[in-house]
Amino acid sequence: MLLERAAAAGISRVTATVPVGWTAGEAFATALGGALCAPLPARPEVGNHRTGPRERAVRRVELRRGGR
């Protein structure tokens, strides 16, 4: 599992994003013990790419070892 591999590498927190309104993605993230953060506004650039016209705002998900 992802968190077990992260823990073996000394990592205690993994973050990901889920598009706002994608209930299946939010349910999957919370089933893994993830904590959904407040939605982030859509931006013209995210990370190393420019967002497309249909890319929505996202919610950050924090997964911590031990579910905390």
Side-chain angles (χ1 to χ4, degrees):
M1 179 175 188
L2 172 67
L3 293 178
E4 292 167 351
R5 293 182 88 178
I11 300 167
S12 61
R13 179 181 63 170
V14 175
T15 60
T17 56
V18 177
V20 171
W22 185 35
T23 54
E26 292 174 351
F28 178 73
T30 56
L32 292 175
L36 293 168
C37 299
L40 302 170
R43 299 184 315 190
E45 293 185 14
V46 175
N48 63 351
H49 79 282
R50 292 185 179 183
T51 57
R54 295 198 279 184
E55 288 186 75
R56 300 178 293 197
V58 295
R59 292 181 78 170
R60 191 166 51 88
V61 180
E62 283 192 7
L63 295 160
R64 292 182 180 261
R65 197 168 76 212
R68 293 183 228 126

